[in-house]
């Protein structure tokens, strides 16, 4: 069960990285096609997560995504599914 769980988690994060890469490619391609230039994304990134509360919220959301997966990676078993019966 531990190997199956780890394979699922690796697949999950591989798909997340693939989607992140495709999203960035889409943004750069759109900016390039509409004439904003390839440095427009770096200009916009200066205004993302501008305040401390936005940074704190982003870190908390990232931890909520990663901490359960780290627990599953270490223990190797998924929680019971008795509530669905």
């Amino acid at each position: 069960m531990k190997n199956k769980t780890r394979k699922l988690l690796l697949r999950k994060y591989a798909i997340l990285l693939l989607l992140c890469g495709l999203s960035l490619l889409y943004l750069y391609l759109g900016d390039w096609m509409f004439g904003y230039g390839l440095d427009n994304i770096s200009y916009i990134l200066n205004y993302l997560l501008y305040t401390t509360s936005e940074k704190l919220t982003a870190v908390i959301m990232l931890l909520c995504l990663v901490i359960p997966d780290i627990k599953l990676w270490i223990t190797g078993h998924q929680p019971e599914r008795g509530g669905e019966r």
Side-chain angles (χ1 to χ4, degrees), residues 28-40:
Y28 278 112
L29 184 65
D31 282 351
W32 177 67
M33 284 176 45
F34 292 115
Y36 292 113
L38 295 177
D39 59 343
N40 188 42

Side-chain angles (χ1 to χ4, degrees), residues 6-62:
R6 289 182 176 176
K7 285 181 185 177
L8 288 174
L9 288 173
L10 287 174
R11 187 181 310 162
K12 172 185 174 181
Y13 284 103
I15 290 171
L16 273 173
L17 286 175
L18 176 69
L19 289 176
C20 288
L22 289 174
S23 297
L24 285 174
L25 180 69
Y26 176 74
L27 287 173
Y28 278 112
L29 184 65
D31 282 351
W32 177 67
M33 284 176 45
F34 292 115
Y36 292 113
L38 295 177
D39 59 343
N40 188 42
I41 298 297
S42 62
Y43 177 75
I44 292 171
L45 286 177
N46 291 332
Y47 298 102
L48 293 176
L49 302 177
Y50 190 68
T51 63
T52 306
S53 63
E54 290 174 344
K55 292 176 186 176
L56 183 64
T57 304
V59 168
I60 290 172
M61 290 174 67
L62 183 65

Side-chain angles (χ1 to χ4, degrees), residues 5-6 9 12-13 59-79:
T5 302
R6 289 182 176 176
L9 288 173
K12 172 185 174 181
Y13 284 103
V59 168
I60 290 172
M61 290 174 67
L62 183 65
L63 288 175
C64 288
L65 175 73
V66 173
I67 287 176
D69 290 339
I70 291 173
K71 181 185 170 207
L72 285 176
W73 182 271
I74 293 171
T75 61
H77 65 277
Q78 295 179 344

